[in-house]
PDB file of all heavy atoms in Angstrom:
ATOM      1  N   ALA A 110      84.488 -26.604 -12.428  1.00  0.00           N
ATOM      2  CA  ALA A 110      84.091 -25.602 -11.351  1.00  0.00           C
ATOM      3  C   ALA A 110      83.690 -24.305 -11.974  1.00  0.00           C
ATOM      4  O   ALA A 110      82.685 -23.664 -11.623  1.00  0.00           O
ATOM      5  CB  ALA A 110      85.284 -25.445 -10.358  1.00  0.00           C
ATOM      6  N   TYR A 111      84.448 -23.792 -13.043  1.00  0.00           N
ATOM      7  CA  TYR A 111      84.017 -22.544 -13.643  1.00  0.00           C
ATOM      8  C   TYR A 111      82.630 -22.622 -14.281  1.00  0.00           C
ATOM      9  O   TYR A 111      81.881 -21.722 -14.222  1.00  0.00           O
ATOM     10  CB  TYR A 111      85.058 -22.228 -14.881  1.00  0.00           C
ATOM     11  CG  TYR A 111      86.138 -21.392 -14.507  1.00  0.00           C
ATOM     12  CD1 TYR A 111      87.055 -21.597 -13.440  1.00  0.00           C
ATOM     13  CD2 TYR A 111      86.316 -20.142 -15.183  1.00  0.00           C
ATOM     14  CE1 TYR A 111      88.055 -20.746 -13.094  1.00  0.00           C
ATOM     15  CE2 TYR A 111      87.300 -19.214 -14.855  1.00  0.00           C
ATOM     16  CZ  TYR A 111      88.217 -19.513 -13.893  1.00  0.00           C
ATOM     17  OH  TYR A 111      89.234 -18.679 -13.563  1.00  0.00           O
ATOM     18  N   GLU A 112      82.481 -23.800 -14.894  1.00  0.00           N
ATOM     19  CA  GLU A 112      81.121 -23.900 -15.623  1.00  0.00           C
ATOM     20  C   GLU A 112      79.981 -23.981 -14.522  1.00  0.00           C
ATOM     21  O   GLU A 112      78.895 -23.499 -14.813  1.00  0.00           O
ATOM     22  CB  GLU A 112      81.154 -25.122 -16.511  1.00  0.00           C
ATOM     23  CG  GLU A 112      80.091 -24.908 -17.651  1.00  0.00           C
ATOM     24  CD  GLU A 112      80.506 -25.690 -18.891  1.00  0.00           C
ATOM     25  OE1 GLU A 112      81.608 -25.510 -19.350  1.00  0.00           O
ATOM     26  OE2 GLU A 112      79.644 -26.448 -19.397  1.00  0.00           O
ATOM     27  N   ALA A 113      80.294 -24.657 -13.468  1.00  0.00           N
ATOM     28  CA  ALA A 113      79.262 -24.725 -12.370  1.00  0.00           C
ATOM     29  C   ALA A 113      78.959 -23.269 -11.819  1.00  0.00           C
ATOM     30  O   ALA A 113      77.821 -23.066 -11.486  1.00  0.00           O
ATOM     31  CB  ALA A 113      79.754 -25.665 -11.258  1.00  0.00           C
ATOM     32  N   LYS A 114      80.002 -22.477 -11.849  1.00  0.00           N
ATOM     33  CA  LYS A 114      79.753 -21.190 -11.287  1.00  0.00           C
ATOM     34  C   LYS A 114      79.138 -20.195 -12.271  1.00  0.00           C
ATOM     35  O   LYS A 114      78.229 -19.556 -12.012  1.00  0.00           O
ATOM     36  CB  LYS A 114      81.172 -20.637 -10.832  1.00  0.00           C
ATOM     37  CG  LYS A 114      80.882 -19.184 -10.201  1.00  0.00           C
ATOM     38  CD  LYS A 114      82.274 -18.658  -9.674  1.00  0.00           C
ATOM     39  CE  LYS A 114      82.005 -17.452  -8.780  1.00  0.00           C
ATOM     40  NZ  LYS A 114      81.375 -17.802  -7.481  1.00  0.00           N
ATOM     41  N   TYR A 115      79.745 -20.193 -13.495  1.00  0.00           N
ATOM     42  CA  TYR A 115      79.301 -19.141 -14.373  1.00  0.00           C
ATOM     43  C   TYR A 115      78.378 -19.550 -15.501  1.00  0.00           C
ATOM     44  O   TYR A 115      77.915 -18.734 -16.309  1.00  0.00           O
ATOM     45  CB  TYR A 115      80.595 -18.501 -15.056  1.00  0.00           C
ATOM     46  CG  TYR A 115      81.533 -17.917 -14.054  1.00  0.00           C
ATOM     47  CD1 TYR A 115      82.810 -18.355 -13.938  1.00  0.00           C
ATOM     48  CD2 TYR A 115      81.190 -16.768 -13.276  1.00  0.00           C
ATOM     49  CE1 TYR A 115      83.670 -17.823 -13.017  1.00  0.00           C
ATOM     50  CE2 TYR A 115      82.085 -16.222 -12.399  1.00  0.00           C
ATOM     51  CZ  TYR A 115      83.315 -16.697 -12.296  1.00  0.00           C
ATOM     52  OH  TYR A 115      84.186 -16.128 -11.387  1.00  0.00           O
ATOM     53  N   GLY A 116      78.141 -20.866 -15.629  1.00  0.00           N
ATOM     54  CA  GLY A 116      77.205 -21.394 -16.641  1.00  0.00           C
ATOM     55  C   GLY A 116      77.921 -21.663 -17.959  1.00  0.00           C
ATOM     56  O   GLY A 116      77.397 -22.444 -18.757  1.00  0.00           O
ATOM     57  N   PHE A 117      79.089 -21.017 -18.227  1.00  0.00           N
ATOM     58  CA  PHE A 117      79.982 -21.349 -19.372  1.00  0.00           C
ATOM     59  C   PHE A 117      81.302 -20.892 -19.068  1.00  0.00           C
ATOM     60  O   PHE A 117      81.582 -20.439 -18.008  1.00  0.00           O
ATOM     61  CB  PHE A 117      79.332 -20.682 -20.705  1.00  0.00           C
ATOM     62  CG  PHE A 117      79.617 -19.238 -20.818  1.00  0.00           C
ATOM     63  CD1 PHE A 117      80.290 -18.766 -21.959  1.00  0.00           C
ATOM     64  CD2 PHE A 117      79.287 -18.379 -19.835  1.00  0.00           C
ATOM     65  CE1 PHE A 117      80.553 -17.437 -22.183  1.00  0.00           C
ATOM     66  CE2 PHE A 117      79.497 -16.955 -20.020  1.00  0.00           C
ATOM     67  CZ  PHE A 117      80.242 -16.486 -21.173  1.00  0.00           C
ATOM     68  N   ARG A 118      82.215 -21.112 -20.084  1.00  0.00           N
ATOM     69  CA  ARG A 118      83.608 -20.700 -19.737  1.00  0.00           C
ATOM     70  C   ARG A 118      84.460 -20.494 -21.070  1.00  0.00           C
ATOM     71  O   ARG A 118      84.093 -21.011 -22.023  1.00  0.00           O
ATOM     72  CB  ARG A 118      84.363 -21.858 -18.927  1.00  0.00           C
ATOM     73  CG  ARG A 118      84.580 -23.148 -19.735  1.00  0.00           C
ATOM     74  CD  ARG A 118      85.011 -24.338 -18.887  1.00  0.00           C
ATOM     75  NE  ARG A 118      84.429 -25.565 -19.474  1.00  0.00           N
ATOM     76  CZ  ARG A 118      85.103 -26.355 -20.330  1.00  0.00           C
ATOM     77  NH1 ARG A 118      86.316 -26.049 -20.577  1.00  0.00           N
ATOM     78  NH2 ARG A 118      84.549 -27.346 -20.857  1.00  0.00           N
ATOM     79  N   ASP A 119      85.365 -19.622 -20.905  1.00  0.00           N
ATOM     80  CA  ASP A 119      86.345 -19.383 -21.952  1.00  0.00           C
ATOM     81  C   ASP A 119      87.266 -20.493 -21.892  1.00  0.00           C
ATOM     82  O   ASP A 119      88.205 -20.579 -21.075  1.00  0.00           O
ATOM     83  CB  ASP A 119      87.001 -18.054 -21.725  1.00  0.00           C
ATOM     84  CG  ASP A 119      88.039 -17.694 -22.765  1.00  0.00           C
ATOM     85  OD1 ASP A 119      88.365 -18.562 -23.574  1.00  0.00           O
ATOM     86  OD2 ASP A 119      88.603 -16.539 -22.745  1.00  0.00           O
ATOM     87  N   TYR A 120      87.217 -21.523 -22.837  1.00  0.00           N
ATOM     88  CA  TYR A 120      87.874 -22.691 -22.775  1.00  0.00           C
ATOM     89  C   TYR A 120      89.357 -22.602 -23.408  1.00  0.00           C
ATOM     90  O   TYR A 120      90.072 -23.558 -23.428  1.00  0.00           O
ATOM     91  CB  TYR A 120      87.164 -23.842 -23.353  1.00  0.00           C
ATOM     92  CG  TYR A 120      86.519 -23.488 -24.703  1.00  0.00           C
ATOM     93  CD1 TYR A 120      87.206 -23.383 -25.839  1.00  0.00           C
ATOM     94  CD2 TYR A 120      85.117 -23.308 -24.748  1.00  0.00           C
ATOM     95  CE1 TYR A 120      86.601 -23.030 -27.009  1.00  0.00           C
ATOM     96  CE2 TYR A 120      84.459 -22.968 -25.942  1.00  0.00           C
ATOM     97  CZ  TYR A 120      85.256 -22.795 -27.039  1.00  0.00           C
ATOM     98  OH  TYR A 120      84.570 -22.411 -28.193  1.00  0.00           O
ATOM     99  N   ARG A 121      89.572 -21.508 -24.056  1.00  0.00           N
ATOM    100  CA  ARG A 121      90.811 -21.325 -24.821  1.00  0.00           C
ATOM    101  C   ARG A 121      92.024 -21.224 -23.819  1.00  0.00           C
ATOM    102  O   ARG A 121      92.272 -20.041 -23.242  1.00  0.00           O
ATOM    103  CB  ARG A 121      90.790 -20.122 -25.759  1.00  0.00           C
ATOM    104  CG  ARG A 121      89.692 -20.147 -26.763  1.00  0.00           C
ATOM    105  CD  ARG A 121      89.505 -18.771 -27.236  1.00  0.00           C
ATOM    106  NE  ARG A 121      89.303 -17.835 -26.171  1.00  0.00           N
ATOM    107  CZ  ARG A 121      89.437 -16.490 -26.327  1.00  0.00           C
ATOM    108  NH1 ARG A 121      89.826 -15.908 -27.467  1.00  0.00           N
ATOM    109  NH2 ARG A 121      89.295 -15.785 -25.245  1.00  0.00           N
ATOM    110  N   GLY A 122      92.718 -22.304 -23.696  1.00  0.00           N
ATOM    111  CA  GLY A 122      94.015 -22.192 -22.820  1.00  0.00           C
ATOM    112  C   GLY A 122      93.611 -21.966 -21.337  1.00  0.00           C
ATOM    113  O   GLY A 122      94.567 -21.493 -20.610  1.00  0.00           O
ATOM    114  N   GLY A 123      92.468 -22.287 -20.954  1.00  0.00           N
ATOM    115  CA  GLY A 123      92.114 -22.153 -19.519  1.00  0.00           C
ATOM    116  C   GLY A 123      91.529 -20.758 -19.236  1.00  0.00           C
ATOM    117  O   GLY A 123      91.084 -20.508 -18.068  1.00  0.00           O
ATOM    118  N   GLY A 124      91.534 -19.810 -20.202  1.00  0.00           N
ATOM    119  CA  GLY A 124      90.976 -18.561 -19.914  1.00  0.00           C
ATOM    120  C   GLY A 124      91.543 -17.866 -18.745  1.00  0.00           C
ATOM    121  O   GLY A 124      92.757 -17.739 -18.753  1.00  0.00           O
ATOM    122  N   ARG A 125      90.720 -17.387 -17.850  1.00  0.00           N
ATOM    123  CA  ARG A 125      91.299 -16.642 -16.771  1.00  0.00           C
ATOM    124  C   ARG A 125      91.930 -17.577 -15.708  1.00  0.00           C
ATOM    125  O   ARG A 125      92.786 -17.039 -14.885  1.00  0.00           O
ATOM    126  CB  ARG A 125      90.058 -15.970 -16.006  1.00  0.00           C
ATOM    127  CG  ARG A 125      90.326 -15.102 -14.845  1.00  0.00           C
ATOM    128  CD  ARG A 125      90.965 -13.754 -15.201  1.00  0.00           C
ATOM    129  NE  ARG A 125      91.218 -12.909 -14.017  1.00  0.00           N
ATOM    130  CZ  ARG A 125      92.287 -12.127 -13.912  1.00  0.00           C
ATOM    131  NH1 ARG A 125      93.118 -11.988 -14.891  1.00  0.00           N
ATOM    132  NH2 ARG A 125      92.417 -11.354 -12.835  1.00  0.00           N
ATOM    133  N   SER A 126      91.743 -18.863 -15.762  1.00  0.00           N
ATOM    134  CA  SER A 126      92.318 -19.730 -14.801  1.00  0.00           C
ATOM    135  C   SER A 126      93.743 -20.143 -15.206  1.00  0.00           C
ATOM    136  O   SER A 126      94.460 -20.862 -14.480  1.00  0.00           O
ATOM    137  CB  SER A 126      91.533 -21.037 -14.547  1.00  0.00           C
ATOM    138  OG  SER A 126      91.643 -21.879 -15.715  1.00  0.00           O
ATOM    139  N   SER A 127      94.192 -19.661 -16.342  1.00  0.00           N
ATOM    140  CA  SER A 127      95.573 -19.950 -16.901  1.00  0.00           C
ATOM    141  C   SER A 127      96.654 -19.299 -16.016  1.00  0.00           C
ATOM    142  O   SER A 127      96.398 -18.252 -15.448  1.00  0.00           O
ATOM    143  CB  SER A 127      95.669 -19.489 -18.217  1.00  0.00           C
ATOM    144  OG  SER A 127      97.086 -19.418 -18.572  1.00  0.00           O
ATOM    145  N   ALA A 128      97.707 -19.977 -15.799  1.00  0.00           N
ATOM    146  CA  ALA A 128      98.764 -19.455 -15.000  1.00  0.00           C
ATOM    147  C   ALA A 128      99.401 -18.245 -15.652  1.00  0.00           C
ATOM    148  O   ALA A 128     100.314 -17.553 -15.221  1.00  0.00           O
ATOM    149  CB  ALA A 128      99.943 -20.482 -14.772  1.00  0.00           C
ATOM    150  N   ARG A 129      98.987 -17.945 -16.896  1.00  0.00           N
ATOM    151  CA  ARG A 129      99.422 -16.729 -17.540  1.00  0.00           C
ATOM    152  C   ARG A 129      99.112 -15.482 -16.757  1.00  0.00           C
ATOM    153  O   ARG A 129      99.712 -14.465 -16.815  1.00  0.00           O
ATOM    154  CB  ARG A 129      98.793 -16.664 -18.938  1.00  0.00           C
ATOM    155  CG  ARG A 129      99.924 -16.428 -20.045  1.00  0.00           C
ATOM    156  CD  ARG A 129      99.568 -16.110 -21.374  1.00  0.00           C
ATOM    157  NE  ARG A 129     100.134 -14.770 -21.717  1.00  0.00           N
ATOM    158  CZ  ARG A 129     101.388 -14.374 -21.467  1.00  0.00           C
ATOM    159  NH1 ARG A 129     102.213 -15.066 -20.973  1.00  0.00           N
ATOM    160  NH2 ARG A 129     101.690 -13.120 -21.883  1.00  0.00           N
ATOM    161  N   GLU A 130      97.990 -15.555 -15.969  1.00  0.00           N
ATOM    162  CA  GLU A 130      97.658 -14.440 -15.217  1.00  0.00           C
ATOM    163  C   GLU A 130      98.764 -14.014 -14.274  1.00  0.00           C
ATOM    164  O   GLU A 130      98.918 -12.826 -13.849  1.00  0.00           O
ATOM    165  CB  GLU A 130      96.284 -14.662 -14.385  1.00  0.00           C
ATOM    166  CG  GLU A 130      95.808 -13.565 -13.518  1.00  0.00           C
ATOM    167  CD  GLU A 130      96.370 -13.475 -12.127  1.00  0.00           C
ATOM    168  OE1 GLU A 130      96.970 -14.461 -11.666  1.00  0.00           O
ATOM    169  OE2 GLU A 130      96.228 -12.430 -11.534  1.00  0.00           O
ATOM    170  N   THR A 131      99.575 -14.951 -13.882  1.00  0.00           N
ATOM    171  CA  THR A 131     100.687 -14.634 -12.983  1.00  0.00           C
ATOM    172  C   THR A 131     101.655 -13.602 -13.551  1.00  0.00           C
ATOM    173  O   THR A 131     102.429 -13.031 -12.770  1.00  0.00           O
ATOM    174  CB  THR A 131     101.354 -15.935 -12.400  1.00  0.00           C
ATOM    175  OG1 THR A 131     101.952 -16.609 -13.485  1.00  0.00           O
ATOM    176  CG2 THR A 131     100.392 -16.791 -11.694  1.00  0.00           C
ATOM    177  N   ALA A 132     101.796 -13.489 -14.848  1.00  0.00           N
ATOM    178  CA  ALA A 132     102.546 -12.442 -15.415  1.00  0.00           C
ATOM    179  C   ALA A 132     102.205 -11.109 -14.907  1.00  0.00           C
ATOM    180  O   ALA A 132     103.062 -10.261 -14.537  1.00  0.00           O
ATOM    181  CB  ALA A 132     102.613 -12.517 -16.919  1.00  0.00           C
ATOM    182  N   ALA A 133     100.926 -10.861 -14.734  1.00  0.00           N
ATOM    183  CA  ALA A 133     100.532  -9.649 -14.167  1.00  0.00           C
ATOM    184  C   ALA A 133     100.929  -9.370 -12.766  1.00  0.00           C
ATOM    185  O   ALA A 133     101.373  -8.305 -12.345  1.00  0.00           O
ATOM    186  CB  ALA A 133      98.962  -9.513 -14.363  1.00  0.00           C
ATOM    187  N   ARG A 134     100.927 -10.362 -12.011  1.00  0.00           N
ATOM    188  CA  ARG A 134     101.364 -10.377 -10.646  1.00  0.00           C
ATOM    189  C   ARG A 134     102.802 -10.064 -10.536  1.00  0.00           C
ATOM    190  O   ARG A 134     103.301  -9.353  -9.620  1.00  0.00           O
ATOM    191  CB  ARG A 134     101.173 -11.674  -9.826  1.00  0.00           C
ATOM    192  CG  ARG A 134      99.762 -12.186  -9.902  1.00  0.00           C
ATOM    193  CD  ARG A 134      99.715 -13.394  -9.127  1.00  0.00           C
ATOM    194  NE  ARG A 134      98.341 -14.152  -9.288  1.00  0.00           N
ATOM    195  CZ  ARG A 134      97.800 -14.902  -8.365  1.00  0.00           C
ATOM    196  NH1 ARG A 134      98.336 -14.985  -7.141  1.00  0.00           N
ATOM    197  NH2 ARG A 134      96.620 -15.414  -8.574  1.00  0.00           N
ATOM    198  N   VAL A 135     103.612 -10.730 -11.450  1.00  0.00           N
ATOM    199  CA  VAL A 135     104.984 -10.478 -11.369  1.00  0.00           C
ATOM    200  C   VAL A 135     105.368  -9.039 -11.702  1.00  0.00           C
ATOM    201  O   VAL A 135     106.223  -8.408 -11.075  1.00  0.00           O
ATOM    202  CB  VAL A 135     105.719 -11.515 -12.353  1.00  0.00           C
ATOM    203  CG1 VAL A 135     107.197 -11.049 -12.534  1.00  0.00           C
ATOM    204  CG2 VAL A 135     105.588 -12.890 -11.772  1.00  0.00           C
ATOM    205  N   ALA A 136     104.599  -8.538 -12.670  1.00  0.00           N
ATOM    206  CA  ALA A 136     104.857  -7.118 -13.037  1.00  0.00           C
ATOM    207  C   ALA A 136     104.477  -6.160 -11.834  1.00  0.00           C
ATOM    208  O   ALA A 136     105.242  -5.221 -11.492  1.00  0.00           O
ATOM    209  CB  ALA A 136     103.970  -6.714 -14.262  1.00  0.00           C
TER     210      ALA A 136
END
Side-chain angles (χ1 to χ4, degrees):
Chain A
Y111 263 60
E112 203 153 311
K114 183 174 192 72
Y115 299 119
F117 79 123
R118 68 192 146 97
D119 177 352
Y120 45 72
R121 301 163 308 160
R125 181 78 177 143
S126 75
S127 166
R129 233 190 116 50
E130 186 269 346
T131 60
R134 305 183 190 213
V135 169

